Structure formats: structure tokens, C-alpha cells
Amino acid sequence: MFDAVLLLMLFLLAIAILAGLYRAIKGPSMADRVIALDLISIMMIALIGVVSLYLETEAFLEAILLLGILAFIGAVAFAKYIERGVIIERKRDD
């Protein structure tokens, strides 16, 4: 029974990732695309967690942590780009 629930969760998470991918491609604004990419990354974290439960292994937990860190850094970089138009500010000494 638990395996059936995990498989159902995998299916629903895959549908949520596809919906986020659609929003990332067709989003009317840049902010919608950034939120969709953040949604995709969170759903990927959940998907890896469910796969880890299904396979009864702890091997994927490092991948979850790494993906979470990358998703946070990406969200901050996109927010800075939307706000200022540049990600890395370089000050030149002339």
C-alpha cells in the first residue's frame, strides 16, 4: 500500500513539474518565469525525496541538499536581475 502511495506521489509530482515547465515557457512576465523555475526546483527536491523513500536508500539526500542550495542561489540571482538588470556588479577604478 505504501508503495502505491509513493508511485501516486511520483506521478502527481511529475504533473506538477510539467505544469511548472509550461508556466516557465509561456509565462507572461519574467517574474512568472522565475517563480515557475523555483516551483520546478522545489518539485524536483520532493521528487528525489519520494524516490529515496521508494528505493529505501539515503544515497539521494546529498542531491536534495545540493539542489536546494542551487535553487536558493538561482532565485536570489534572478531576483537581483529583475530588480537591477545585472547580476554581478563590477566597480571599475578609473
Side-chain angles (χ1 to χ4, degrees):
M1 179 67 182
F2 186 65
D3 288 341
V5 171
L6 289 177
L7 289 175
L8 178 66
M9 289 173 62
L10 285 174
F11 178 72
L12 293 176
L13 286 170
I15 291 174
I17 290 171
L18 290 174
L21 187 63
Y22 174 77
R23 177 52 62 195
I25 293 171
K26 294 285 187 176
S29 69
M30 181 64 95
D32 289 333
R33 290 185 174 106
V34 170
I35 291 172
L37 290 175
D38 198 35
L39 170 89
I40 290 170
S41 63
I42 297 299
M43 290 298 135
M44 287 296 294
I45 290 171
L47 186 77
I48 293 171
V50 171
V51 168
S52 179
L53 284 173
Y54 185 73
L55 297 177
E56 297 177 1
T57 183
E58 296 177 357
F60 300 117
L61 298 181
E62 289 87 7
I64 292 172
L65 185 62
L66 180 66
L67 190 58
I69 292 168
L70 289 175
F72 173 74
I73 292 171
V76 169
F78 274 125
K80 190 172 180 182
Y81 177 73
I82 289 173
E83 180 183 352
R84 296 187 184 159
V86 65
I87 296 174
I88 299 174
E89 296 177 8
R90 298 183 185 189
K91 294 182 181 178
R92 297 183 184 205
D93 295 330
D94 290 333

